[in-house]
Structure formats: C-alpha cells, structure tokens
C-alpha cells in the first residue's frame, strides 16, 4: 500500500439509475412511504449512483479551473449568504443576476471552513421517495466555485405538499443531508456544508505496474475486525476503475477504512487499511497491487498459427458457484499475456474458456485452459493457451423413437439454473442434425433435446463429442395445488414415486419454482413436477418420511392436472418463542424433534425467534440447542409455548504451542463436540491469534466433550464471499469434562511442535 499526496482524478463507478416511473407501477403511496421509513433514510439513493457516471469529467474540469483561476479557489458568495473568504468574480455575478428571480435554487457546497468543494454530486429529493423525471431536482455536480443550480425548483418546493431536502454523494457513516426548510430557503444561495473530510483516490495496478483493466471492481468500507469478516459492513461503497483509478470526491475524517480491488470476476482481493484522510481537505492516494497478497497466474495466448495474440480483448467464461455461466473480459498485452487469480479453493472453477471474434465476424477463435491452484502470493507462469479456429464442441442427430429425424428440434447445452446466463441452445436442421463449435468451460457437458413436449434423456459428454444420438421420448407433466392450513409452508412437502418393491424415487419440482422471485406460500401451493415417462404411477406426498397422502393407480399418457390435494388437518406449525435475557440478542441454533410415540429424529435449524416446527398433528419431543444458552428439552409438546433462555456454562480454552499460528486468510479455532453435534458457541473472540492464546466458549449442558480443532479460510471475490472450514489435527483432539458449576472452567490444551505447520495446504 502506498499513500501519497495527489490531485483529484476522475470518478468512476458503474451504476444505472432505474426508471423512476417504476415506483408508481410497483406500489401505492403508502407502500412507498413504508419503504422510505425502513430503508430510505440510511441507504445511498439511486441519484448518487447515477451521479458517479458523469462526475469524473466535471470534477476534472472544475479542478483544472480552480488551479488556473485564483478567483475560483475561494467561495464566491451571493447576496444573503454570509461572506467567508472573497467576493465572486464579475462573470459569476452576471450569471446569477439573470437567475435570481426565476425560481432557480442555487446551492453552494462548502467544507466546514467555507471553502468551495467542486466535483461533489448533489441532488434534491422529496422526503416522499417518488420523483418523476420531469421534476427539477436531478443530480448536479458542483462546479469550481462549489455552486449547483436547479431551475425552477425553488418555486416547486414552495407549492409541494412534502418537505424537500438536499443530499450529497460523499462517503460518510451518516447520510449527508440538508433540509430545504424556510430557514435554508431564506438565503439567495443555500449553503450546504459537508462534514470534515478529504479526497481519496485509489489506484489499482498489476504486478508489472500496468493499470488494472477498466471495470475492475473496487470496494471502500469501514475497516473490519477479523472476527467480523463475514458480517456486512455498516458503510461500504462499490466502484469500477477507469484508467486503473477510482476517485471518491469526499471521504469523512476520523475513520479507519479498508479498500479492496479485484480483477473482473476475480476471487482474490488486493487490500489496504488506512486512517486517511486525516486533515480537512487532504488529498490521499492509495495504491493496490493485484497479486501482491495472493497468487496470480500469467497466461500467453497464441493464434492457431502459434503467433503471439497481442493487444486483443477476449471473452472469458467459467462456471460459477451455483452452476451459472459467468462472463468477463481479459486483454492481452504486447506479449500476448493476461493475468488471472490462481485457484485458491476447491469451490472455485478449475477451468475456463476463452473466445474471440473478429470485428466483422469472419474469424472465430476459442480455447479452454486450466486454472492453476496456488496460495502463495506471487506470479506463476500458466503456460501457453493455443487458440483453435472454432473447434467442434459437439455434433450429432436428434431422432424420434422410431428412428426418424426430429426436424427443428432444440438441443440445450448445460443446465438452466434459474438465474444468471441462460443455457446455450442449437436448432437442428431438417435431418435432425446439429453441430456446435467453440469450447465449454468445464470438462463435462450436459446435452438434452426437446421438440413439441417430447424430451430426450440427458447425455453427459466430454468435448469434443461427435456422432451423438439423442432420442426423443414422450414425457408427461404432473401439476396441481396443495391445500394446507394457514401458516404451513407448502415447500416442506416432497413428492416420490412408490416403485412397488419397497423403494421410492424422488420427483423434483420444476426448477423455475425453486428460484422464483417471491417466497410466498402461494408460490409453492401450485406445483409442477419434472417430466415423467408415460406409464403407471403411484404418487406419495411426504413430510420427510411421514406419509401425508397417496395417489395410486395413476396412468400417465399425457400431461395431468391432479387438481387440489387437501392436506389440511395433516400438518401444523408449532412455535417456541425464545426469550433472551439480553435485548436484541442473536438467537440461532438447531433443534431435534420426533413423534413422542416414537419415530425418526428430524433436525431444524433456525436463526430467529420463534422457532417454527412443521410436523404431523401429534405430540412431539423437542431437544432445543440455542447457541450461547442452556440446552432445553420439551416432552409431548402439543401447542405453542414460551421458553426463557438460561445462561450457559462458561469454558476457557488455553492453547499452548511453540508453533506459529496460521496467518490470514486462515484462522484457527477450537469447538466442543458431543458425538457429531457441536455443543459450544463463541463467547467473545472466535480465533486464536499470536497475541491471544485463549478462547471462551458458551456450553449448553454439562458432560464429557471432545475438543476439535477447526481451520477456516475466508475468501471474498468480485460479488461473492464466504468461508470454507474443516476439522483438522484429529489425532490431537482432547476430551474434557465440563461440570455444572458457576464461573469459568479453564482447560489447558497443548499441541506438540510441528502440529500447526502440518496444516499447510489443509484447506484448498
């Protein structure tokens, strides 16, 4: 990280302002008001996002004007505004005189000392968050003298039913606002004073010093403690680089910040922590180097003729965490090279595809390459990627069951996951033939054919796959509606085929319902199942392994609507209200329940109160484990109940080792287990560190427990983040006896020399 004094540069943050008329279509005025009360006071407004797209040019122009015109380096104040520095220039006076009586609202943006602040995005908005485009309060960028003007807005506010306010797009913990009340509007020029701050520019470079690719994501947020890495930040701003830079025009003083930068769709961030700007008006530059803290791989791209493919922009595709296809760009340098993050986790894709099409579309090159695994920071040579001239990805024929060609059938490549990129499709010719050229991001490819309601069985092939045959078979779709009692979530009901030999085959709902925008109960009451082959069917509806309904003797010859299936009176929701001694306590954990008269145990996870258990209408026994509180049991529970949580037992684990602890992003901790279930929760810090060799745990019940060591790796990528974890050093697990006594019980845990050093590579 480098911090130097710098001049203001261009602001770049790619955001798009949605059509404001959409608010009117989406909800009534009451709903809009509720939305404002819930989120509008603290969340950055959409005009702020829109402003960043145009602020760079204005900020640079006004900054240049400020340096070249001494009169513009101090605030030019109009009549009615308290004078702090100098009088305005003649040009400024003439311009303002022409607008003094036409209803124009003039606003001067100043710092706490009264100096004008150019390049700040400001907008006026009603306290009711609904403002059609024709209203005169749109985003303006303050000029060199700090001035912004809104034509006719003064008159509009005077007749408005709702109060208005000004908002400034700055980086501060609290929204920067000014009420446009009578006192503010009494002045000819409204004074909008920013909190104490300074300018921040983030420069993002590659290891070789070249600027990061345009559009590389950058995040600025309040610095987090390592214990809070997986929690949302109270304040963060996202931006995209232009020319390797991102400018934040005004950043609040007195805060410790963290800046992160990635390559587009990157998985490893370059980071910096800093407590700057620290003085009013300070201009600070922070440099982030991609690959300085993580492993990066450099690839060289060659043409089919083995010539260096220099200075070209290629499309990179990879399969995302949820199976969707992610696309981004890479640009080769004069040596034909580009750089990617190394593969640091098994959750990341192990390969990617590159493609390039000439400007007029006459040439198409593509190739597939492996992402090399590595965790040690630095540069790795990934070797050469030799492009091919549109290689065959897959080819074959789609046939009917009688062997005749299926003309105009559709072949689908990949799976439809319900979000992200749609799967690739091909249309067969009159002979049922298909051919697709290019590459696929993964080793295996799924192919499925369809035509007029008929489908083939999926085929899993490895490209290049030639001479394939996909045979269409008639399929039937089952649909219907579940009738359940109020409060019962219909999604807990599952469908299976009874095979008649004691086995059952699950039948999934169609995926489009799994990823519906809403999560209302009605979304799940109407069901549509995956297509089935024609023939007899015994359909069973289950709650876990409890049979709720059975439809026998169904004959599938075509699509079948089962109508309404009445499950009312067969399912109910039992609620356990959890009452904690601390207000706003985080209540999460798990519970195991079973029928009181015997049955299979079922586990429920929860993260709030009340705990809701969907069960058959019968008494149940519940074993409740709320993290950080005493364990509780309920026998023959048959109605909603209230449970006051009791303080847990306290355990302190003291680690003794001569080894060096793993360094971030790896974190080392310990947990208590009873068999396969954890019985402890952190009662403070979660991880051992070089300066902290003790952890305190809350334990729900006395007993003999095993101490298991846990290694966790945090990762944060462009648009995703999380952690992977595994229990390690199982040969060094330790049994302890926790007693039901007050106070803290301490246990000393010793690890032999070399134990922690063996963790290198334990988490990929």
């Amino acid at each position: 990280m480098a911090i130097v004094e710098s001049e203001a540069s261009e602001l770049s943050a790619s955001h798009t302002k949605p059509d404001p008329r959409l608010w009117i279509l989406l909800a009534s005025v009451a709903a809009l008001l509720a939305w404002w009360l819930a989120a509008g006071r603290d969340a950055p407004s959409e005009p702020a996002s829109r402003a960043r797209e145009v602020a760079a040019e204005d900020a640079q122009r006004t900054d240049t004007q400020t340096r070249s015109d001494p009169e513009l380096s101090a605030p030019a104040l109009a009549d009615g505004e308290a004078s702090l520095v100098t009088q305005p220039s003649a040009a400024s006076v003439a311009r303002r005189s022409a607008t003094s009586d036409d209803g124009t609202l003039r606003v001067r943006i100043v710092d706490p000392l009264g100096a004008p602040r150019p390049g700040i995005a400001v907008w006026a908005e009603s306290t009711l968050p609904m403002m059609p485009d024709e209203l005169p309060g749109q985003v303006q960028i303050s000029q060199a003298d700090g001035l912004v003007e809104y034509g006719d807005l003064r008159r509009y506010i005077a007749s408005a039913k709702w109060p208005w306010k000004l908002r400034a797009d700055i980086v501060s913990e609290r929204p920067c606002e000014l009420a446009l009340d009578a006192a503010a509007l009494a002045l000819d020029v409204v004074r909008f004073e920013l909190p104490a701050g300074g300018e921040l520019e983030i420069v993002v470079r590659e290891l070789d010093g070249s600027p990061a690719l345009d559009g590389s994501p950058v995040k600025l947020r309040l610095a987090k403690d390592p214990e809070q890495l997986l929690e949302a930040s109270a304040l963060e701003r996202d931006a995209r680089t232009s020319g390797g830079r991102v400018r934040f025009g005004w950043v609040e003083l007195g805060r410790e910040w963290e800046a992160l930068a990635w390559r587009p769709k990157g998985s490893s961030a370059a980071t910096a922590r800093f407590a700057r700007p620290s003085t009013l008006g300070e201009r600070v530059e922070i440099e982030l180097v991609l690959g300085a803290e993580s492993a990066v791989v450099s690839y060289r791209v060659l043409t089919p003729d083995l010539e260096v493919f220099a200075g070209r922009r290629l499309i990179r595709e990879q399969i995302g965490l949820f199976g969707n296809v992610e696309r981004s760009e890479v640009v080769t340098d004069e040596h034909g090279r580009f750089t990617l993050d190394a593969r640091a986790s098994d959750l990341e894709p192990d390969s990617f595809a590159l493609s390039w099409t000439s400007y007029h579309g006459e040439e198409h090159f593509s190739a597939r390459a492996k992402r090399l695994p590595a965790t040690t920071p630095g540069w790795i040579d990934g070797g050469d990627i030799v492009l091919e001239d549109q290689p065959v990805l897959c080819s074959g024929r789609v046939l009917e069951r009688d062997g005749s060609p299926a003309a105009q059938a559709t072949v689908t490549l990949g799976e439809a996951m319900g979000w992200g990129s749609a799967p690739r499709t091909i249309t067969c010719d009159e002979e049922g033939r298909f051919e697709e050229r290019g590459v696929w991001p993964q080793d295996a490819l799924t192919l499925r054919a369809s035509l007029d309601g008929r489908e083939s069985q999926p085929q899993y092939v490895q490209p290049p796959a030639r001479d394939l045959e996909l045979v269409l078979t008639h399929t039937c779709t089952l649909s219907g509606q579940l009738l359940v009692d109020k409060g019962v979530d219909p999604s807990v009901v599952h469908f299976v085929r009874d095979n008649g030999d004691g086995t059952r085959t699950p039948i999934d709902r169609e995926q489009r319902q799994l990823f519906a925008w809403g999560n209302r109960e009605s979304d799940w009451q109407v069901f549509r199942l995956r297509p089935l082959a024609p023939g007899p069917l015994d359909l069973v509806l289950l709650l876990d392994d409890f049979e709720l309904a059975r439809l026998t003797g169904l004959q599938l010859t075509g699509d079948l609507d089962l109508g309404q299936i009445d499950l009312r009176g067969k399912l109910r929701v039992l609620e356990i209200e959890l009452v904690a001694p601390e207000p706003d306590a985080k209540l999460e954990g798990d519970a195991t329940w079973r029928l009181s008269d015997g049955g299979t145990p079922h586990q429920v996870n929860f993260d709030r109160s009340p705990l809701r258990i969907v069960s058959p209408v019968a008494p149940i026994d519940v074993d409740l484990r709320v993290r950080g509180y005493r364990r509780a049991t309920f026998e023959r529970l048959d109605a909603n109940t209230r449970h006051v949580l009791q303080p847990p037992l306290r355990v302190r684990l003291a680690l003794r080792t001569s080894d060096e602890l793993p360094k971030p992003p790896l974190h080392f901790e310990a947990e208590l287990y009873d068999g396969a279930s954890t019985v402890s929760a952190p009662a403070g810090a979660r991880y051992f560190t070089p300066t902290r060799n003790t952890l305190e745990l809350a334990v729900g019940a006395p007993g003999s427990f095993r101490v298991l060591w846990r290694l966790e790796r945090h990762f944060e990528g462009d648009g995703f983040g999380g952690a992977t974890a595994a229990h390690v050093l199982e040969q060094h697990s330790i049994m302890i006896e926790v007693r039901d006594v007050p106070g803290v019980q301490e246990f000393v845990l010793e690890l032999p020399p070399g134990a922690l050093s063996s963790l290198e590579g334990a988490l990929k």
Side-chain angles (χ1 to χ4, degrees):
M1 177 187 77
I3 303 180
V4 298
E5 300 302 319
S6 70
E7 295 298 322
S9 183
E10 66 180 327
L11 169 70
S12 176
S14 299
H15 296 278
T16 302
K17 179 183 177 184
D19 187 345
R21 292 171 295 182
L22 187 58
W23 295 112
I24 301 174
L25 299 175
L26 288 177
S28 64
V29 171
L32 286 171
L33 183 58
W35 173 86
W36 169 70
L37 290 172
R41 294 176 182 261
D42 300 319
S45 293
E46 288 296 338
S49 301
R50 182 183 180 189
R52 296 179 192 132
E53 300 177 358
V54 298
E57 182 179 349
D58 288 348
Q60 187 168 0
R61 179 175 63 252
T62 54
D63 191 48
T64 303
Q65 292 172 349
T66 301
R67 294 193 296 268
S68 62
D69 186 351
E71 288 188 343
L72 298 180
S73 61
L77 306 176
D79 293 340
E81 185 181 16
S83 177
L84 296 174
V85 185
T86 64
Q87 294 300 314
S89 65
S92 296
V93 171
R95 174 167 55 85
R96 285 164 204 150
S97 297
T99 60
S100 59
D101 298 322
D102 64 354
T104 296
L105 177 67
R106 290 183 287 154
V107 182
R108 190 179 309 283
I109 315 301
V110 298
D111 65 21
L113 295 182
R117 299 312 314 176
I120 304 296
V122 183
W123 66 97
E125 66 183 19
S126 169
T127 53
L128 179 67
M130 178 176 65
M131 187 179 65
D133 283 336
E134 62 267 18
L135 297 187
Q138 301 303 296
V139 174
Q140 302 287 349
I141 308 300
S142 59
Q143 302 303 307
D145 56 1
L147 193 71
V148 294
E149 294 185 352
Y150 300 97
D152 208 37
L153 184 58
R154 187 181 287 270
R155 276 202 294 260
Y156 186 88
I157 292 175
S159 62
K161 295 181 179 180
W162 293 86
W164 277 62
K165 61 185 176 182
L166 289 171
R167 295 192 69 173
D169 181 29
I170 67 171
V171 184
S172 61
E173 187 170 10
R174 296 177 61 86
C176 184
E177 301 177 348
L178 175 66
L180 290 174
D181 53 21
L185 295 173
L187 299 174
D188 181 45
V189 177
V190 175
R191 175 189 172 91
F192 192 175
E193 183 177 307
L194 305 178
E199 297 182 33
L200 172 64
E201 189 166 37
I202 298 176
V203 180
V204 188
R205 304 187 187 280
E206 295 283 357
L207 277 176
D208 61 4
S210 61
L213 186 67
D214 280 358
S216 296
V218 172
K219 185 186 295 292
L220 178 67
R221 69 188 180 197
L222 291 174
K224 295 182 179 182
D225 184 271
E227 306 284 342
Q228 303 171 320
L229 287 180
L230 299 182
E231 299 179 8
S233 176
L235 170 63
E236 61 182 41
R237 290 293 181 88
D238 296 312
R240 298 274 172 174
T241 60
S242 177
R245 294 175 178 267
V246 166
R247 176 180 176 271
F248 297 93
W250 200 248
V251 177
E252 188 176 21
L253 303 186
R255 304 288 182 183
E256 183 179 7
W257 301 98
E258 182 179 27
L260 303 91
W262 300 265
R263 293 179 182 82
K265 299 300 179 183
S267 57
S268 299
T271 63
R273 284 185 176 228
F274 49 93
R276 305 282 296 278
S278 56
T279 59
L280 181 63
E282 181 183 15
R283 294 183 175 184
V284 178
E285 182 178 287
I286 303 295
E287 184 177 81
L288 300 177
V289 179
L290 300 174
E293 307 167 53
S294 57
V296 295
V297 183
S298 175
Y299 299 88
R300 187 175 68 157
V301 183
L302 303 178
T303 68
D305 297 329
L306 302 183
E307 297 179 355
V308 171
F309 206 51
R312 303 303 178 103
R313 189 177 299 270
L314 298 95
I315 300 298
R316 181 172 73 97
E317 293 183 328
Q318 64 182 23
I319 303 299
L321 187 63
F322 301 104
N324 56 311
V325 178
E326 298 178 340
R327 293 182 176 89
S328 59
E329 289 186 344
V330 297
V331 178
T332 58
D333 61 16
E334 66 272 19
H335 305 294
R337 289 193 169 275
F338 70 92
T339 305
L340 295 179
D341 295 328
R343 185 168 178 254
S345 165
D346 286 340
L347 294 177
E348 300 175 37
D350 62 356
S351 59
F352 62 93
L354 287 180
S355 60
W356 174 84
T357 302
S358 62
Y359 182 78
H360 295 290
E362 68 277 5
E363 291 183 294
H364 305 274
F365 296 158
S366 54
R368 184 170 167 272
K370 287 286 186 181
R371 284 188 63 190
L372 300 184
T375 56
T376 304
W379 185 92
I380 301 172
D381 186 358
D384 293 340
I385 300 176
V386 180
L387 299 173
E388 297 182 64
D389 188 1
Q390 284 300 84
V392 172
L393 177 63
C394 58
S395 64
R397 298 183 70 192
V398 178
L399 303 174
E400 301 285 1
R401 294 188 64 179
D402 61 5
S404 61
Q408 301 299 308
T410 298
V411 178
T412 301
L413 288 66
E415 297 286 352
M417 299 303 297
W419 73 86
S421 302
R424 198 186 303 181
T425 60
I426 320 165
T427 300
C428 299
D429 63 16
E430 296 301 321
E431 297 299 321
R433 298 187 182 277
F434 66 91
E435 181 181 83
E436 179 72 356
R437 292 183 173 270
V439 292
W440 192 251
Q442 290 182 310
D443 290 330
L445 169 64
T446 305
L447 295 174
R448 182 183 284 106
S450 61
L451 178 65
D452 298 334
R454 305 183 302 282
E455 286 191 1
S456 70
Q457 292 296 315
Q459 283 199 27
Y460 305 94
V461 301
Q462 288 189 332
R466 297 181 173 86
D467 301 325
L468 301 173
E469 285 192 355
L470 303 177
V471 180
L472 298 176
T473 58
H474 182 64
T475 57
C476 307
T477 299
L478 283 179
S479 59
Q481 182 180 11
L482 301 178
L483 299 182
V484 295
D485 293 307
K486 185 176 181 180
V488 174
D489 180 4
S491 67
V492 301
V493 178
H494 302 284
F495 302 84
V496 298
R497 175 198 289 268
D498 189 331
N499 297 318
D501 57 1
T503 63
R504 291 170 170 175
T505 303
I507 306 174
D508 294 332
R509 300 178 190 237
E510 284 196 342
Q511 280 186 326
R512 63 179 180 85
Q513 293 196 23
L514 292 175
F515 306 111
W517 287 109
N519 193 27
R520 304 180 306 274
E521 293 178 359
S522 59
D523 294 333
W524 289 92
Q525 284 180 319
V526 177
F527 65 87
R528 185 179 175 90
L529 304 183
R530 284 279 198 175
L532 301 170
L537 171 67
D538 289 344
L539 183 67
V540 183
L541 282 68
L542 301 175
L543 170 65
D544 294 325
D545 57 351
F546 299 104
E547 184 172 316
L548 302 173
R550 176 181 288 266
L551 286 75
T552 59
L554 299 176
Q555 290 293 331
L556 300 184
T557 58
D559 293 346
L560 179 60
D561 186 350
L562 298 174
Q564 295 180 335
I565 302 176
D566 195 348
L567 301 180
R568 290 173 294 187
K570 298 183 178 181
L571 294 171
R572 55 106 178 262
V573 178
L574 285 180
E575 293 188 354
I576 302 176
E577 181 187 356
L578 306 175
V579 182
E582 310 88 357
D584 302 324
K586 185 176 183 180
L587 302 177
E588 60 182 9
D590 62 88
T592 303
W593 67 271
R594 70 179 72 201
L595 291 177
S596 299
D597 296 332
T600 304
H602 302 272
Q603 185 163 312
V604 178
N605 297 312
F606 60 92
D607 59 5
R608 62 179 61 87
S609 176
L611 163 63
R612 291 184 171 90
I613 298 176
V614 180
S615 73
V617 180
I620 62 173
D621 297 338
V622 180
D623 183 7
L624 174 65
R625 297 173 292 273
V626 184
R627 293 187 182 92
Y629 297 93
R630 283 288 188 115
R631 190 170 180 171
T633 58
F634 304 85
E635 294 184 353
R636 302 197 68 81
L637 187 64
D638 201 25
N640 296 344
T641 189
R642 186 172 183 266
H643 174 63
V644 178
L645 299 170
Q646 301 299 315
L649 301 172
R650 295 280 178 170
V651 169
R652 180 182 296 123
L653 303 181
L655 174 63
R656 290 183 181 176
T657 179
S658 59
D659 291 349
E660 183 178 356
L661 287 167
K663 298 179 180 179
L666 294 175
H667 301 275
F668 189 60
E669 60 180 318
E671 298 176 310
L672 301 188
Y673 268 73
D674 180 11
S677 301
T678 180
V679 295
S680 64
R686 285 190 57 187
Y687 310 113
F688 294 109
T689 69
T691 59
R692 183 179 61 237
N693 71 330
T694 62
L695 298 180
E696 287 202 9
L697 303 178
V699 182
S704 296
F705 305 119
R706 183 175 297 277
V707 178
L708 294 183
W709 306 103
R710 188 172 183 268
L711 187 65
E712 187 172 278
R713 176 189 292 275
H714 292 168
F715 60 91
E716 187 167 10
D718 174 16
F720 68 93
T724 57
H727 287 119
V728 295
L729 306 178
E730 293 184 12
Q731 69 274 27
H732 299 297
S733 62
I734 301 169
M735 293 295 298
I736 63 172
E737 185 73 26
V738 178
R739 295 172 295 152
D740 193 352
V741 296
V744 179
Q745 305 172 60
E746 182 166 318
F747 301 88
V748 177
L749 312 175
E750 294 192 17
L751 286 176
L756 290 178
S757 60
S758 67
L759 296 179
E760 182 69 28
L763 279 182
K764 295 182 180 179

